[in-house]
Amino acid sequence: MARGGKGGGKKSSSGKKARAKAKVDRHWGQHVDDDEIRAAKYRKGRSRLLKQKEKNGGNRSDDKRSAIHDDGYHDVDGFARQRRLDDNVGINGSTTSSSSSGFSSDGDSDADMESSLSDNGVGGALDSLLSSIGGRDRKRGDSHRRNDVSVDAMDDDSDEDGVSTTLNQQEDEQMGSDEEDEDVVEVSSDEEELDSIDDDVDSGTTGTSSRGEDGFASRFNMAPLPESDDALAEAIAPLQKVRKVPCGTSHLDSSLEVMLSGPILDRLQATSPSGRDAGQTFTELSSGYYSNLRQVLTRNWKRINSKSLRLNVDANNDLGDRSGNVNQKKRLTSLQSTIYPSLSSYADLQLTAESRENRHDIHNLLALHVLNHVLTSRGRVQKHNKRMKELREREANEDAADSSGEAEVVADGVDEERWRDQGYTRPKVLIMLPTRGTALSFVQRMVSLMGESAHIDHLDRFQTEFSVGVDNGDDYDDNDNDNEEGNLAQRRRTVLQQKGADWNELFGEKVNDDDDFKLGISMTPNAARRTKRREKSGKGKDSSGGISVKFFSEFYRSDIILASPLALKMATSGDEDKDYDVDFLSSIEVCLVLHADVLLMQNWDHVTSCLNELNQQPTKTNETDFSRVRNYLLAGQAAYWKQLVFVSRLADPFIMSTFKRHAKSVGGRLKLRRKVPADEATVCDVLTRVRQVFQRVPCSIQTQGDDRLKYFGEKVLPQIVRLRQKHTLIYIPSYFDFVSLRNLLMKADTTASNFVSVTEYSRVSEVSRGRARFNQGRKAIMLYTGRAHFFLRHGIKGARHLILFGLPEHAEFYPELMNMLMEGASGESEVEVEAPSSCLA
């Protein structure tokens, strides 16, 4: 029966060389004709059938039918039927097979993959990438450099090192042990079995016969975009133009404005002619995407989101029972149901309507999306590893005489495109946060969503490093012998309460406000060892929901990276003594920038610098299996498959311009902003009766700082000097403008020594001394920066005149500064009261 090689079952040396050459050509992207592939699979299947018939003696029809089902094509009709099946698969269509949902819903035929590779130049991009990293050691003898980039160095523990070095082997063992517990869809033929790998009906999802669209499959099963610049710009341009939602958003509060682009907008426009309410469409889309979540997340979601469902913030209360989300399935609030379809379809999100009331709604939804993305991606890698291992074992057990070497190599090439499920490196999600306290809050949401099914390593260390110690200030109240210390503690608590709830959530005594941190988190779904322990303890037998989580993992072995922009900038900055390494950011698929308004007060340049480093082509191989790298990464189009999410309390020009520059997702965009009615503006919170003058200064965007400084030096400062005006507080939002204004006052002879400065960089002693001199009238002018007020929230006493060099970024700062004038008017006797209070902005 042998057809290739001499001596019956033995293959010649020349045949081995030919097979090796063909394998190398296939591995590096050489195009193989589709007809040859199908013919080779037909010959291979028929050879296996004959072999099976010889083993069984040819006297059992059931064995013959089993062989046909196991080995695929057995006659010409079967080959023709498979060819017709392949021809029915489109670039964005769906197969005619019974598995209509899942990974092959957008068309995953081999012919389409081969055509997309040849049309878009993926092979050329790969050759360019390999040439740029050629000559470098594939084994990467620079593991010491990785340790510098990794998260805070872990102790040399033998058990931890064993887990990290044998990660892939552990995943294969875990998948093998969980095979019996998983609810895998059975198929009746080899061709359907191969399709089921791409469909990937996951045991961890809420799989039913009526599941909605799988956002993950639809996203990462698309063909690469055109390679030419003109065609690429033409394909992306419609996705970057957002429009208002058709038929309005009556299910939301009237102050919220939603603007969309991409597939979700197309679906809304399709239902708008019928006059259907957009809230119902959002609810149906959210339910469809929700049905594809993993079971371990849906089991805990309702409990975690119960408070948000009860309050339903930002919903239109006038609708009552007609509110599409509140009274139906109780899964998502009105705001969440509006955001979730775009979030699940991997559109870029600019959410500048965050408030203290809806922050839990937004962050809960983002944590759910991040976990579902990571667990789905890791689960598919595990299943593909298992399937590839089974195929390799089956190939190894077959007799070489039953099929030629050429047919084996070509048949492997058919399946290669189905295993492209990874990036250049493992990290998939990047979350940038301003402080350790905010990182602790977000990670706690993820831990709560995973519930008891998660086995977390180093959780105690994480809570110790990202939280603060217990405050023992209350003990002073019970100490009768130390009343003075008790009074100081009570006064401290009173001062902290006056700073506001928002400030205490970020910088209070009960949170860690350190802005230099980085954390890597690795996740392994279907953890076998965790499942066995749960079964022995009697807590449950559902192995599909077991998750093994490890905190403080190395970046290159992490799935999620949480870091502050400062720490990430320091980790990726190169110098003379350290290699420049940003390869671990080359395959980021989801990037969250949370509390963007706080990051704006820190250093926005760090944020833009980190975003510029995302999805760059790697400089080293990093032990990458290029046969499993997704095609769009090889084509250099990773930025168009990255989802960028900005969450902020305000719509600052820096935030919007950065989002516009880096938001390139093929899933479109969603912008959510809040329009403030006149009766709810913060100017209504001003309690003191002060004449407020708003002066318009002609200027351009490029020269606005210089123009304002010139106007102040020519018009405002001479009046202050002429009137000998004291107790004048000058608020400066930008630190750069503060430096320019300080230099201007120092050059003037009349004001060179008659002002004090309070900045975020001033020492505590300097601030105390300057505030006292200003309150006493010994210094006529105080320069007060916006960042100092944001981080410290000083109450400036003695101020009677307020000059705003620019409007504050945060709207609530305006009434806070204005109300300081009321305290100055009713202050001590040193304060002069001849001139009335004034405000100039």
Side-chain angles (χ1 to χ4, degrees):
M1 301 298 295
R3 289 174 297 194
K6 300 179 180 180
K10 185 176 181 181
K11 301 178 183 178
S12 64
S13 58
S14 61
K16 292 182 179 179
K17 293 180 179 179
R19 289 195 302 275
K21 182 179 182 301
K23 187 173 183 180
V24 171
D25 294 340
R26 172 189 58 78
H27 185 71
W28 297 115
Q30 179 172 334
H31 180 71
V32 182
D33 187 74
D34 297 336
D35 293 335
E36 294 181 2
I37 292 174
R38 297 189 181 97
K41 293 185 68 175
Y42 162 66
R43 294 195 303 270
K44 184 176 181 181
R46 183 170 183 176
S47 176
R48 293 175 180 171
L49 174 61
L50 295 176
K51 176 186 174 183
Q52 185 71 18
K53 184 175 180 180
E54 287 182 359
K55 291 183 179 180
N56 297 332
N59 52 6
R60 290 189 62 183
S61 60
D62 295 339
D63 294 341
K64 180 178 179 180
R65 188 179 299 106
S66 175
I68 294 174
H69 287 185
D70 290 339
D71 296 324
Y73 312 103
H74 61 285
D75 55 9
V76 177
D77 295 335
F79 174 73
R81 182 171 63 254
Q82 176 64 17
R83 182 170 184 175
R84 290 195 302 271
L85 178 64
D86 291 343
D87 293 338
N88 289 333
V89 181
I91 296 298
N92 293 317
S94 59
T95 64
T96 59
S97 61
S98 59
S99 57
S100 61
S101 63
F103 202 69
S104 63
S105 60
D106 286 337
D108 195 26
S109 65
D110 301 320
D112 295 335
M113 281 298 185
E114 294 292 344
S115 62
S116 65
L117 286 175
S118 60
D119 295 339
N120 297 289
V122 176
L126 179 60
D127 293 338
S128 177
L129 172 64
L130 293 175
S131 63
S132 65
I133 62 178
R136 297 180 181 271
D137 188 7
R138 285 178 176 270
K139 297 184 179 180
R140 297 203 67 194
D142 53 353
S143 60
H144 62 281
R145 178 184 52 77
R146 285 188 179 181
N147 294 332
D148 294 337
V149 179
S150 63
V151 191
D152 308 324
M154 299 175 56
D155 297 335
D156 294 331
D157 184 79
S158 59
D159 180 63
E160 295 170 2
D161 293 339
V163 172
S164 61
T165 54
T166 61
L167 183 61
N168 295 330
Q169 298 177 0
Q170 177 185 0
E171 292 172 358
D172 293 339
E173 294 174 0
Q174 292 172 353
M175 286 301 302
S177 61
D178 286 342
E179 181 181 1
E180 297 179 358
D181 295 335
E182 292 180 352
D183 185 15
V184 182
V185 175
E186 298 292 338
V187 292
S188 58
S189 66
D190 187 61
E191 59 192 70
E192 294 178 357
E193 185 176 0
L194 288 175
D195 288 337
S196 69
I197 295 298
D198 288 335
D199 291 342
D200 202 6
V201 179
D202 200 343
S203 63
T205 62
T206 58
T208 61
S209 59
S210 60
R211 288 196 308 170
E213 182 178 354
D214 186 356
F216 185 94
S218 301
R219 172 70 164 186
F220 296 102
N221 204 29
M222 297 173 60
L225 296 171
E227 186 179 10
S228 63
D229 296 338
D230 296 338
L232 182 62
E234 183 179 358
I236 294 299
L239 301 175
Q240 297 180 346
K241 297 179 180 180
V242 295
R243 299 178 181 178
K244 291 185 179 181
V245 175
C247 298
T249 54
S250 59
H251 62 294
L252 292 177
D253 188 83
S254 59
S255 62
L256 292 178
E257 183 182 56
V258 181
M259 304 183 72
L260 287 168
S261 68
I264 302 301
L265 178 62
D266 297 339
R267 297 188 183 185
L268 291 172
Q269 290 177 341
T271 58
S272 61
S274 60
R276 189 179 186 184
D277 182 47
Q280 297 179 2
T281 306
F282 277 120
T283 301
E284 293 180 359
L285 291 175
S286 300
S287 300
Y289 285 110
Y290 185 88
S291 63
N292 287 280
L293 289 175
R294 301 188 58 100
Q295 290 180 359
V296 65
L297 302 178
T298 56
R299 283 197 298 262
N300 302 300
W301 171 251
K302 189 172 182 180
R303 174 178 56 85
I304 300 302
N305 203 46
S306 60
K307 182 178 179 181
S308 298
L309 289 171
R310 184 174 65 256
L311 299 176
N312 201 10
V313 179
D314 290 328
N316 189 353
N317 297 326
D318 297 335
L319 290 179
D321 295 337
R322 291 183 296 143
S323 183
N325 206 306
V326 177
N327 295 318
Q328 289 187 5
K329 295 185 178 180
K330 291 288 185 180
R331 289 175 177 172
L332 301 172
T333 65
S334 298
L335 180 62
Q336 290 174 339
S337 64
T338 305
I339 298 175
Y340 192 58
S342 298
L343 185 65
S344 297
S345 60
Y346 292 88
D348 293 322
L349 273 64
Q350 178 183 303
L351 309 178
T352 57
E354 184 190 23
S355 63
R356 190 166 176 265
E357 291 76 17
N358 64 17
R359 183 178 301 157
H360 296 286
D361 302 6
I362 297 176
H363 286 200
N364 286 345
L365 201 63
L366 294 178
L368 178 71
H369 176 63
V370 166
L371 288 176
N372 186 70
H373 175 78
V374 173
L375 295 178
T376 301
S377 178
R378 293 289 296 152
R380 296 197 176 210
V381 171
Q382 287 181 337
K383 288 191 174 184
H384 288 179
N385 287 341
K386 179 184 175 183
R387 178 59 177 157
M388 293 176 68
K389 183 178 180 181
E390 293 175 351
L391 292 177
R392 286 194 297 266
E393 291 177 353
R394 190 168 65 180
E395 293 287 344
N397 294 333
E398 292 178 353
D399 189 5
D402 289 342
S403 60
S404 65
E406 180 183 358
E408 291 180 4
V409 172
V410 174
D412 288 341
V414 175
D415 296 336
E416 179 180 350
E417 297 301 329
R418 301 181 183 272
W419 315 129
R420 294 192 179 275
D421 52 9
Q422 302 176 13
Y424 294 118
T425 54
R426 181 171 172 177
K428 307 171 184 62
V429 178
L430 173 64
I431 305 175
M432 284 192 280
L433 293 157
T435 62
R436 289 179 181 261
T438 56
L440 175 65
S441 176
F442 193 82
V443 172
Q444 286 176 344
R445 296 179 193 273
M446 295 194 297
V447 172
S448 300
L449 280 171
M450 291 184 289
E452 297 180 355
S453 301
H455 175 66
I456 304 176
D457 295 335
H458 310 297
L459 179 60
D460 294 338
R461 175 188 171 188
F462 168 75
Q463 292 177 346
T464 301
E465 295 186 6
F466 282 76
S467 60
V468 294
V470 179
D471 184 14
N472 297 323
D474 294 337
D475 296 340
Y476 293 125
D477 296 338
D478 300 332
N479 189 356
D480 297 333
N481 298 327
D482 203 354
N483 293 330
E484 183 177 356
E485 293 183 355
N487 294 334
L488 291 175
Q490 181 64 30
R491 181 181 177 184
R492 179 179 178 83
R493 287 193 296 269
T494 303
V495 172
L496 293 177
Q497 291 177 359
Q498 292 177 352
K499 294 179 183 292
D502 292 336
W503 186 90
N504 281 279
E505 290 178 356
L506 289 173
F507 311 109
E509 288 185 319
K510 297 182 180 180
V511 294
N512 192 333
D513 59 354
D514 182 21
D515 61 349
D516 185 5
F517 67 92
K518 48 187 180 290
L519 173 69
I521 302 177
S522 64
M523 292 186 178
T524 304
N526 304 313
R529 290 185 298 176
R530 171 65 175 171
T531 303
K532 291 180 180 180
R533 287 197 295 268
R534 287 178 58 83
E535 290 180 355
K536 290 180 180 179
S537 61
K539 294 183 178 179
K541 297 182 179 181
D542 185 10
S543 63
S544 63
I547 306 173
S548 177
V549 183
K550 183 179 180 181
F551 289 164
F552 299 99
S553 58
E554 183 187 6
F555 275 0
Y556 282 94
R557 298 187 181 275
S558 301
D559 297 295
I560 303 175
I561 297 177
L562 288 93
S564 63
L566 173 62
L568 197 60
K569 173 68 176 178
M570 295 173 62
T572 57
S573 298
D575 50 36
E576 298 179 355
D577 300 328
K578 181 180 177 182
D579 293 336
Y580 181 71
D581 182 18
V582 293
D583 288 353
F584 61 90
L585 300 176
S586 61
S587 302
I588 295 296
E589 298 166 352
V590 178
C591 178
L592 307 183
V593 182
L594 306 183
H595 300 278
D597 54 310
V598 183
L599 297 175
L600 184 66
M601 292 290 102
Q602 292 179 345
N603 193 335
W604 191 250
D605 290 340
H606 293 336
V607 177
T608 57
S609 177
C610 294
L611 292 177
N612 290 331
E613 301 297 344
L614 299 183
N615 304 121
Q616 301 294 329
Q617 292 290 73
T619 58
K620 295 180 175 62
T621 57
N622 299 304
E623 302 176 358
T624 303
D625 184 2
F626 289 96
S627 64
R628 299 188 65 176
V629 175
R630 293 191 174 99
N631 291 321
Y632 66 83
L633 287 165
L634 300 178
Q637 300 174 354
Y640 299 99
W641 265 260
K642 174 193 65 185
Q643 182 183 33
L644 182 63
V645 180
F646 274 30
V647 181
S648 172
R649 297 185 60 184
L650 53 93
D652 188 83
F654 288 99
I655 297 176
M656 293 188 294
S657 62
T658 303
F659 178 83
K660 183 178 180 180
R661 183 167 60 254
H662 294 279
K664 303 177 181 179
S665 174
V666 295
R669 293 182 180 181
L670 180 142
K671 293 184 178 181
L672 180 67
R673 68 174 184 175
R674 189 181 301 276
K675 298 180 297 182
V676 181
D679 57 344
E680 297 181 5
T682 56
V683 70
C684 301
D685 297 332
V686 177
L687 303 179
T688 182
R689 299 184 61 180
V690 178
R691 182 185 178 187
Q692 305 173 41
V693 179
F694 295 89
Q695 180 65 46
R696 183 178 182 271
V697 179
C699 62
S700 61
I701 298 178
Q702 293 80 5
T703 63
Q704 57 179 337
D706 296 336
D707 293 338
R708 280 201 303 263
L709 182 65
K710 181 179 179 181
Y711 181 87
F712 179 85
E714 295 179 354
K715 303 294 183 180
V716 180
L717 185 59
Q719 296 184 21
I720 296 176
V721 175
R722 179 173 57 85
L723 297 175
R724 297 181 180 180
Q725 181 174 289
K726 295 184 178 181
H727 304 286
T728 302
L729 176 64
I730 302 178
Y731 177 85
I732 312 167
S734 173
Y735 186 81
F736 299 104
D737 292 337
F738 160 76
V739 174
S740 301
L741 186 57
R742 182 192 60 185
N743 295 337
L744 176 64
L745 295 179
M746 293 181 66
K747 291 179 181 179
D749 297 335
T750 56
T751 60
S753 60
N754 199 23
F755 74 94
V756 293
S757 302
V758 176
T759 69
E760 61 274 21
Y761 302 109
S762 302
R763 296 190 298 270
V764 177
S765 59
E766 294 177 353
V767 173
S768 300
R769 184 167 56 251
R771 292 173 61 185
R773 292 178 178 177
F774 178 74
N775 186 28
Q776 297 169 3
R778 298 164 58 186
K779 298 294 183 180
I781 300 174
M782 172 182 283
L783 303 183
Y784 189 37
T785 62
R787 294 178 62 187
H789 187 70
F790 178 81
F791 289 109
L792 303 174
R793 302 293 169 90
H794 290 305
I796 306 300
K797 295 182 180 181
R800 287 189 53 82
H801 308 281
L802 176 63
I803 298 176
L804 300 175
F805 199 75
L807 292 177
E809 292 90 347
H810 295 75
E812 61 271 16
F813 287 0
Y814 184 81
E816 291 178 3
L817 295 171
M818 289 294 299
N819 292 332
M820 291 181 185
L821 302 180
M822 183 174 59
E823 297 179 0
S826 60
E828 301 177 359
S829 58
E830 294 89 345
V831 178
E832 298 180 1
V833 296
E834 288 80 3
S837 300
S838 62
C839 174
L840 175 64

